[in-house]
Amino acid sequence: MANFFLQGLQHPWQFPAHVMVLIGLGLLLGQQSKPQRRSGWWVFVLAILIGLGLTQLPVSVWNGNRVLLALAGVSGCLLALRLELPVWFCAVMAGVGGCLIGLDSAPVMIPGMKALKLYSVLAGTAFGASLSLGLLILLAALLRSVLDGLILRILGSWVAASALMVLALLFAPH
Amino acid sequence: MASQWLKQAGSAVLLFVALTSAALAHTDPGTMSGGFMSGFTHPLFGLDHVVAMVAVGLWGAFLGRPAIWVLPVVFPMVMAFGGALGVMGVPLPGVETGIAVSALVLGLMVTLAIRPPLWVAALLVGAFAIFHGHAHGTELPNAANPLLFSAGFVTATGMLHLAGIAFGELSRWSWGAVAVRSGGALIALSGLGFLTGWLVA
């Protein structure tokens, strides 16, 4: 059971698009004031649980990469601009991010797999993503006043640039 | 009290992160480490890219705030636009010439201590970023993992900017100012070398 939980724990870090969203969102929330950070993190936790729960319903398979990358791009741009965002906006960003990551984290179904193992994977994913987001928020909160927030702004531009380039690739005619 | 706790917790996290090391035993481009490292080394293998990236950070530091963060932020964002053009197959004439000219011009800006208004500096850097981005963007479709490749070369670009900024900060001292302007001269000479062909990128 612990193995499945650990698998879930590492899951968000095995998909580049999830990593980009976590980094962009985490640093963006950390750059904001306490109410935004707190509400953003809690909304993310709730949203990822909802998203993971929805993976167990018979919904159609979808490719969330484009939306995830767009969210990462927007987070990166806002991070670079260093805007003071309202609480509701941070909550919406965190909610959308959490839900998308959850929906995109359906575990691989092995025939005969026990329900408890499946739930362990899902729990690990939720815990791993929430913990990662929390740590990134903490890191950004510490860096927000270092060198006038220069490091965060530069990191934001990196996230936005990476995400936007790959989005262009996804939309490019083949 | 809470801020002190936050600082201590943050220091512990940073220490933990600093003590870990990346497991890079496998360099398969399709894996997380392989794709990222491919992209990371891409700008580093082009001397023309390296000198121009360092020059952006150097000039930003030389110009002071807010250019010190504006230029390293504008560059990757506009580079992404140039990259998108490359990815979509939009032709851009004289990409290599544009990259060489960027090293020459930015180097000259530092050497001659030219301090234009911020919008002019940002416009100039942005214009050059399109060429650099286009060059990287044409490689992107060939990458096994485009997102990691993209993240890799953007990170390398940013770190070169930071190296330029760190060097540029030496201008706080009188001897440092001479070193910085000499550095600018070297960069400008490199750019001239790439343009004339006696230096190979």
Side-chain angles (χ1 to χ4, degrees):
Chain A
M1 211 61 62
N3 282 341
F4 288 93
F5 183 82
L6 283 171
Q7 267 177 43
L9 206 65
Q10 296 164 38
H11 189 272
W13 292 94
Q14 291 171 344
F15 294 91
H18 294 197
V19 174
M20 297 295 287
V21 170
L22 284 173
I23 291 174
L25 197 57
L27 295 182
L28 179 65
L29 290 174
Q31 193 185 49
Q32 307 299 312
S33 307
K34 261 190 203 169
Q36 287 89 329
R37 292 200 290 260
R38 216 175 283 147
S39 61
W41 188 79
W42 281 111
V43 168
F44 180 88
V45 172
L46 188 64
I48 196 170
L49 288 171
I50 292 170
L52 287 168
L54 286 172
T55 61
Q56 299 312 299
L57 297 175
V59 294
S60 58
V61 176
W62 71 308
N63 185 350
N65 260 350
R66 290 184 186 190
V67 190
L68 283 166
L69 287 172
L71 183 67
V74 169
S75 304
C77 288
L78 291 171
L79 186 59
L81 290 170
R82 203 188 179 196
L83 298 171
E84 187 69 29
L85 302 167
V87 175
W88 67 265
F89 187 84
C90 293
V92 166
M93 290 280 288
V96 170
C99 205
L100 288 174
I101 290 176
L103 277 169
D104 207 39
S105 301
V108 174
M109 294 303 294
I110 304 164
M113 187 177 181
K114 288 184 181 171
L116 205 53
K117 289 178 181 174
L118 173 68
Y119 297 143
S120 299
V121 173
L122 293 175
T125 303
F127 186 79
S130 304
L131 179 67
S132 303
L133 190 79
L135 288 173
L136 286 162
I137 290 172
L138 188 65
L139 180 68
L142 290 167
L143 290 173
R144 66 194 288 245
S145 49
V146 172
L147 297 174
D148 206 22
L150 170 70
I151 297 171
L152 287 180
R153 295 179 106 145
I154 290 177
L155 286 173
S157 64
W158 294 3
V159 170
S162 307
L164 292 171
M165 284 203 57
V166 181
L167 264 176
L169 180 62
L170 292 175
F171 282 108
H174 296 289
Chain B
M1 188 76 160
S3 63
Q4 210 171 1
W5 178 87
L6 197 67
K7 278 182 188 165
Q8 284 174 354
S11 303
V13 165
L14 283 171
L15 185 63
F16 174 78
V17 168
L19 288 174
T20 58
S21 59
L24 296 173
H26 304 283
T27 54
D28 176 9
T31 62
M32 290 283 271
S33 62
F36 182 85
M37 286 313 292
S38 254
F40 188 84
T41 52
H42 190 259
L44 301 181
F45 286 157
L47 190 59
D48 50 352
H49 284 288
V50 172
V51 295
M53 299 304 95
V54 171
V56 169
L58 190 63
W59 197 33
F62 182 77
L63 293 174
R65 288 177 184 178
I68 194 169
W69 67 262
V70 168
L71 300 190
V73 164
V74 162
F75 192 95
M77 304 284 267
V78 181
M79 185 175 71
F81 173 69
L85 293 178
V87 158
M88 295 197 171
V90 174
L92 187 68
V95 169
E96 293 305 318
T97 305
I99 291 170
V101 167
S102 69
L104 174 63
V105 169
L106 293 172
L108 281 174
M109 290 292 172
V110 174
T111 303
L112 300 174
I114 297 173
R115 295 175 185 272
L118 181 65
W119 69 270
V120 172
L123 202 68
L124 198 61
V125 162
F128 290 136
I130 292 177
F131 291 98
H132 287 269
H134 194 278
H136 293 312
T138 48
E139 293 292 318
L140 205 60
N142 303 323
N145 193 316
L147 183 53
L148 289 173
F149 185 90
S150 170
F153 82 70
V154 169
T155 304
T157 300
M159 291 183 83
L160 288 169
H161 288 328
L162 288 173
I165 290 171
F167 183 48
E169 285 291 298
L170 293 177
S171 57
R172 290 166 192 264
W173 295 275
S174 53
W175 60 267
V178 173
V180 164
R181 291 177 73 172
S182 304
L186 265 173
I187 290 169
L189 276 172
S190 309
L192 190 63
F194 297 132
L195 269 176
T196 54
W198 57 264
L199 250 187
V200 178

